[in-house]
Amino acid sequence: NDNMKKMVEWSTEANRVETEYLDKKIDHSLKVQSIYLDHISKNTQPPEELLLKDTAAQTKAMFEEMRGYADAASFSTVSRRGAHDALETFLRSAQSLDAQNASER
């Protein structure tokens, strides 16, 4: 019985020591990984003020390009003719209302 008790105590202590070792090893690995990832982050991302300036410039360029497309579509001959034809078709097919106010109908 005494040998069994000593063996259980030894096993428990060995497990405790091994667990402490693994805990320290994991903590150390996390610290190393955090330092490594911080280093990567600092070396791959431009400063925040440059990100904001670049975003503003890219957004402005995108809006200018979209405005160009909108202007071209709004004032081209094809667009005007299409809108004119659609309006004529609507006016020809529209029914006239007898009531002075459409909500009275």
Side-chain angles (χ1 to χ4, degrees), residues 46-55:
E48 189 172 328
E49 59 273 2
L50 290 179
L51 284 175
L52 294 175
K53 286 180 185 177
D54 189 45
T55 301

Side-chain angles (χ1 to χ4, degrees), residues 75-86:
F75 300 111
S76 73
T77 305
V78 174
S79 296
R80 280 195 305 263
R81 187 68 192 149
H84 182 67
D85 289 346

Side-chain angles (χ1 to χ4, degrees), residues 31-84:
K31 286 178 187 177
V32 170
Q33 287 178 352
S34 295
I35 292 169
Y36 183 67
L37 290 174
D38 286 342
H39 179 71
I40 290 173
S41 175
K42 288 177 185 175
N43 290 324
T44 56
Q45 289 185 344
E48 189 172 328
E49 59 273 2
L50 290 179
L51 284 175
L52 294 175
K53 286 180 185 177
D54 189 45
T55 301
Q58 291 296 327
T59 303
K60 183 178 179 183
M62 181 182 66
F63 282 139
E64 288 173 358
E65 187 173 349
M66 289 172 58
R67 175 178 284 180
Y69 287 132
D71 289 345
S74 297
F75 300 111
S76 73
T77 305
V78 174
S79 296
R80 280 195 305 263
R81 187 68 192 149
H84 182 67

